[in-house]
């Protein structure tokens, strides 16, 4: 090949290798077409091609018209299978839904919606290190696909590049595309195994006499949760084989809690964050008012799902850059 032709071919090959996958943002729809779909024969497909070559050689050697007919018939089936595999992926439209925050060590679920003009069968979605999620798209309804990604550390989790592929209908060809997801979610630290009692900031008059877990009047029993104080266990009920029950108290005064990062004895930052996460979850479960102090920020006293989410997000992103 002349040098000028080699120079024109090499940049084209480099562009193909370096081409970035299309980006799917949260409010966009990505339609798959010939520009972002690739297809190659599978190992079964290569074996099928080898079989056709052997049949063709046998037909030529023995001049057998029936073998010729069988060879061309199977070749036509292979061509139709290749076309059907490509058409099974072409025209699919993807939409991305945001993922909910999750605790470190648990899978983060990203949900995508797949649509098509007709029914699609045998599609699969996966990412690096995850098992494929197989699904079909009905003819007149979208399909919701859940992709669970592992979480190994706190902070932001970005799914990055995922793969959508199919081998339908005969498994002779592998047709795929790569999509880069722009969504992200945050991962909070796993709570410490033991945390002790959270530090109290003081007692205040309760708003309705029943908020929080006071220490004045007995209110009833509830089921034991790991981390509850053993001093509150009703051992008589346990002896009657009624399970572990916790005594609850309430009164006209409630306790506020300030969770201070700098007040903890642990030297390791991650150990402190895990201790604080445990206290946040316990206080939220008990409907207590609590606040959080981290170096450079403070979350005021509050309770409820919004307070829990603010504190967990602050602990998840502490010291983490965007």
């Amino acid at each position: 090949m002349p040098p000028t032709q080699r120079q024109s071919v090499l940049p084209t090959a480099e562009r193909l290798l370096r081409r970035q996958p299309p980006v799917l943002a949260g409010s966009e729809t990505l339609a798959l077409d010939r520009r972002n779909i690739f297809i190659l024969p599978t190992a079964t497909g290569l074996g099928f091609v080898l079989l056709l070559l052997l049949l063709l050689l046998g037909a030529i050697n023995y001049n057998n018209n029936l073998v010729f007919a069988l060879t061309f018939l199977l070749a036509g089936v292979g061509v139709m299978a290749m076309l059907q595999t490509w058409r099974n992926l072409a025209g699919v439209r993807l939409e991305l839904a945001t993922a909910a925050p999750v605790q470190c060590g648990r899978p983060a679920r990203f949900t995508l919606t797949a649509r098509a003009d007709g029914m699609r069968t045998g599609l699969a979605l996966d990412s690096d290190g995850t098992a494929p999620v197989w699904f079909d798209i009905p003819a007149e309804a979208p399909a919701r696909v859940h992709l669970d990604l592992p979480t190994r550390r706190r902070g932001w989790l970005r799914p990055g590049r995922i793969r959508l592929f199919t081998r339908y209908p005969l498994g002779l060809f592998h047709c795929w595309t790569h999509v880069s997801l722009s969504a992200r979610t945050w991962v909070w630290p796993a709570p410490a195994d033991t945390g002790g009692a959270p530090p109290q900031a003081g007692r205040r008059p309760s708003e309705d006499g029943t908020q929080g877990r006071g220490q004045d009047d007995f209110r009833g029993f509830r089921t034991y949760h790991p981390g509850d104080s053993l001093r509150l266990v009703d051992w008589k009920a346990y002896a009657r084989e009624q399970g572990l029950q916790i005594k609850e108290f309430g009164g006209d005064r409630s306790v506020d809690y300030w969770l201070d990062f700098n007040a903890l004895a642990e030297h390791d930052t991650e150990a402190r964050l895990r201790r604080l996460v445990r206290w946040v979850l316990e206080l939220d479960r008990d409907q207590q008012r609590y606040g959080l102090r981290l170096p450079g920020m403070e979350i005021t006293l509050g309770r409820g799902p919004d307070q829990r989410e603010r504190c967990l997000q602050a602990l998840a992103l502490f010291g983490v850059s965007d």
Side-chain angles (χ1 to χ4, degrees):
M1 181 182 296
T4 55
Q5 294 184 5
R6 286 199 300 268
Q7 292 176 359
S8 62
V9 171
L10 289 177
T12 303
E14 291 177 358
R15 285 196 299 270
L16 289 175
L17 292 175
R18 296 176 181 175
R19 186 166 62 176
Q20 296 296 323
V23 177
L24 178 59
S27 59
E28 297 179 354
T29 299
L30 176 64
L32 303 181
D33 55 25
R34 59 183 179 81
R35 295 173 299 177
N36 45 37
I37 295 179
F38 308 92
I39 185 169
L40 284 175
T42 62
T44 304
L46 293 177
F48 183 76
V49 172
L50 179 60
L51 174 63
L52 291 179
L53 292 177
L54 293 177
L55 288 175
L56 181 60
L57 290 176
I60 294 174
N61 185 48
Y62 294 101
N63 196 22
N64 191 315
N65 292 332
L66 289 178
V67 179
F68 272 118
L70 177 62
T71 302
F72 295 141
L73 176 63
L74 292 178
V77 170
V79 172
M80 293 302 297
M82 179 178 63
L83 179 61
Q84 184 61 34
T85 302
W86 185 86
R87 292 183 61 184
N88 195 44
L89 199 59
V92 173
R93 301 184 298 276
L94 296 177
E95 300 174 4
L96 175 63
T98 57
V102 68
Q103 175 183 306
C104 185
R106 297 178 180 177
R109 171 162 291 185
F110 289 83
T111 302
L112 293 93
T113 301
R115 306 174 187 270
D117 294 333
M119 182 177 180
R120 306 300 168 91
T121 305
L123 300 175
L125 192 69
D126 69 357
S127 181
D128 293 337
T130 63
V133 180
W134 295 90
F135 65 97
D136 300 330
I137 303 178
E140 299 179 356
R144 295 181 66 85
V145 189
H146 303 293
L147 181 63
D148 293 333
L149 300 181
T151 57
R152 299 181 178 89
R153 61 178 180 271
R154 66 178 180 89
W156 290 113
L157 175 65
R158 297 174 175 85
R161 191 171 71 167
I162 64 172
R163 182 182 61 155
L164 177 65
F165 66 93
T166 182
R167 300 187 183 101
Y168 178 85
L170 300 180
L172 300 179
F173 294 91
H174 178 82
C175 187
W176 79 96
T177 185
H178 287 110
V179 179
S180 181
L181 301 182
S182 64
R184 65 179 184 177
T185 188
W186 46 272
V187 181
W188 74 77
D193 296 332
T194 58
Q200 298 182 6
R203 298 171 65 85
R204 60 177 178 81
S206 178
E207 298 170 357
D208 56 6
T210 60
Q211 292 289 344
R213 185 181 297 172
Q215 303 293 331
D216 300 323
D217 301 320
F218 176 72
R219 293 177 52 193
F221 298 95
R222 65 169 177 82
T223 305
Y224 171 83
H225 298 288
D228 286 332
S229 174
L230 296 180
R231 294 184 292 104
L232 300 178
V233 174
D234 185 0
W235 296 108
K236 293 182 179 180
Y238 181 73
R240 294 192 296 268
E241 298 183 353
Q242 296 179 359
L244 289 175
Q245 302 289 325
I246 295 294
K247 301 176 184 178
E248 285 196 307
F249 297 88
D252 59 355
R253 302 188 69 81
S254 184
V255 180
D256 290 335
Y257 296 86
W258 272 108
L259 310 181
D260 194 337
F261 178 89
N262 293 323
L264 298 180
E266 291 91 341
H267 297 289
D268 182 61
T269 298
E270 297 302 321
R272 293 189 184 190
L273 295 177
R274 294 182 61 193
R275 172 78 67 91
L276 292 173
V277 167
R278 180 182 179 89
W279 285 344
V280 167
L281 297 178
E282 289 181 350
L283 294 173
D284 177 74
R285 181 193 64 201
D286 297 338
Q287 300 180 6
Q288 296 281 13
R289 273 170 46 102
Y290 58 93
L292 178 65
R293 290 193 181 106
L294 295 174
M297 72 172 301
E298 177 179 303
I299 298 177
T300 58
L301 291 168
R303 68 161 63 92
D306 292 340
Q307 177 75 354
R308 175 181 180 270
E309 182 172 352
R310 283 192 296 267
C311 292
L312 290 179
Q313 184 175 15
L315 294 171
L317 304 180
F318 176 72
V320 176
S321 60
D322 291 338

